[in-house]
Amino acid sequence: MKFIKRHLAFILPLMAILVGVEFYLVFERTTQSYEEGLRNRYSMLIVAHDKVKLEYLQSLNPRIASIEEVEKEGIVDEISKGLKASSKRNLSKLLPNFYNTKLDRYLSKEEIEVVKNDLEKSNKIKRVETFDGSHNSTYKLFIFLKLIFKLFIFFIGVVSFFLIIKQMEVWSLNHRERMRIMEIFGAPLFLRSAVMYRLAIIDTLVATSFVSMLFIYLKNSWVESSHIEILVKNSELIFQISDIFTMLVVSIPLVIISVFLVASSIKVEN
């Protein structure tokens, strides 16, 4: 029982870090998907004196991803009700060209202003409408939520890391005499603390397995039964096999550092 408690005291804070890492990965994938949706829904309206092509607009600013010309017929029909056909044709000739313009990514208000200024420098473009009000409020809320979540994950990670260090100090008490004797005989630090490294890496593999199984369960079982629309639609983003590699890349160096910090503090008493 003492053996299990000793290892659980290490595995649980490490799992907290790995759950934070996995939530961060899921959050990043989900927000990228959401950001892509925002980008696709957002468009700038370009009013041009002459017809323009995508390549020309991209030469003015590379953030332009695509353009779609707004047909004049629909605009003319809307504003010329009751006019003669000849008046409609003349009105159509007088109207400038309108283009709905998509961007290559979701931009901040300042970045959009740069795009707008670059486009309006052209003598072919009369005006650029950016719809700042709705875009800016959505963007600020989006960035704020990302910041809060990342700060929370960082706080959980720091607290868990110190818990791991404390548990390493408990482990070192069980091996202190053996490590001191090995140091007297000239054994290098890595060899003296080899047992702690081995136990830490084994527990890291166990913690990674537990967290992976938890998120696989959430992805394959809980999400479908939850009937939460946003989770059901993005279930493929909840866990990916590459996440296991990412968790190991984060956790193994972390436990190696924690073992090194604790082991290097054990000195021979003269």
Side-chain angles (χ1 to χ4, degrees):
M1 183 62 69
K2 186 181 293 186
F3 174 83
I4 295 175
K5 287 182 177 179
R6 186 163 61 242
H7 283 273
L8 281 179
F10 179 83
I11 290 173
L12 291 179
L14 184 57
M15 284 183 64
I17 292 177
L18 294 179
V19 167
V21 170
E22 184 60 27
F23 270 124
Y24 177 81
L25 294 174
V26 173
F27 182 77
E28 281 296 299
R29 286 194 291 263
T30 306
T31 53
Q32 284 175 8
S33 176
Y34 178 69
E35 189 172 344
E36 184 70 14
L38 290 176
R39 183 187 68 82
N40 290 332
R41 289 195 297 271
Y42 179 79
S43 63
M44 300 170 64
L45 180 64
I46 294 178
V47 183
H49 297 291
D50 304 314
K51 286 187 175 294
V52 294
K53 294 184 177 181
L54 175 61
E55 292 77 12
Y56 175 75
L57 295 178
Q58 288 177 332
S59 68
L60 298 175
N61 189 289
R63 293 296 179 199
I64 305 298
S66 64
I67 60 172
E68 179 183 0
E69 185 172 4
V70 179
E71 295 296 332
K72 291 184 180 181
E73 286 73 12
I75 300 174
V76 171
D77 291 341
E78 190 67 28
I79 64 177
S80 63
K81 292 178 180 179
L83 296 180
K84 296 180 180 179
S86 58
S87 298
K88 288 184 178 181
R89 286 194 296 271
N90 291 331
L91 182 60
S92 179
K93 293 178 182 179
L94 292 173
L95 282 176
N97 299 282
F98 298 90
Y99 297 91
N100 281 323
T101 306
K102 301 289 186 181
L103 305 174
D104 65 346
R105 66 179 180 86
Y106 197 56
L107 303 180
S108 67
K109 178 182 178 181
E110 292 74 19
E111 290 172 318
I112 287 178
E113 195 63 28
V114 171
V115 175
K116 177 181 178 181
N117 292 335
D118 288 344
L119 294 176
E120 289 183 338
K121 290 176 183 178
S122 170
N123 54 14
K124 291 185 178 182
I125 295 176
K126 180 179 180 180
R127 182 181 174 188
V128 178
E129 180 59 58
T130 58
F131 310 106
D132 286 338
S134 59
H135 174 273
N136 195 39
S137 60
T138 304
Y139 183 84
K140 286 182 176 179
L141 177 61
F142 181 69
I143 295 300
F144 176 73
L145 291 176
K146 290 183 72 171
L147 176 62
I148 292 298
F149 184 81
K150 290 177 179 179
L151 287 175
F152 175 75
I153 294 298
F154 176 77
F155 176 76
I156 294 297
V158 170
V159 172
S160 299
F161 178 72
F162 282 111
L163 289 175
I164 289 173
I165 292 290
K166 286 296 181 183
Q167 184 56 34
M168 282 293 178
E169 291 175 350
V170 173
W171 282 10
S172 69
L173 294 176
N174 299 321
H175 303 281
R176 185 179 297 271
E177 292 303 320
R178 179 186 58 80
M179 294 174 68
R180 284 175 173 169
I181 292 172
M182 293 180 71
E183 185 176 11
I184 291 172
F185 285 98
L189 179 62
F190 176 78
L191 186 60
R192 300 197 306 269
S193 53
V195 174
M196 292 175 62
Y197 280 115
R198 184 169 66 251
L199 292 174
I201 291 176
I202 290 173
D203 284 358
T204 299
L205 296 175
V206 171
T208 303
S209 299
F210 283 161
V211 173
S212 299
M213 288 188 291
L214 171 63
F215 278 87
I216 289 172
Y217 168 76
L218 292 176
K219 178 179 181 178
N220 296 331
S221 300
W222 183 81
V223 167
E224 291 296 330
S225 61
S226 70
H227 302 296
I228 301 176
E229 185 177 358
I230 188 172
L231 293 179
V232 173
K233 286 183 177 180
N234 297 285
S235 61
E236 74 282 357
L237 303 178
I238 291 179
F239 182 82
Q240 297 177 356
I241 296 300
S242 60
D243 294 354
I244 298 175
F245 175 75
T246 302
M247 286 189 285
L248 290 174
V249 167
V250 172
S251 59
I252 290 179
L254 186 146
V255 297
I256 288 175
I257 291 171
S258 62
V259 171
F260 174 79
L261 291 176
V262 173
S264 61
S265 67
I266 301 175
K267 301 297 182 182
V268 177
E269 293 181 359
N270 296 322

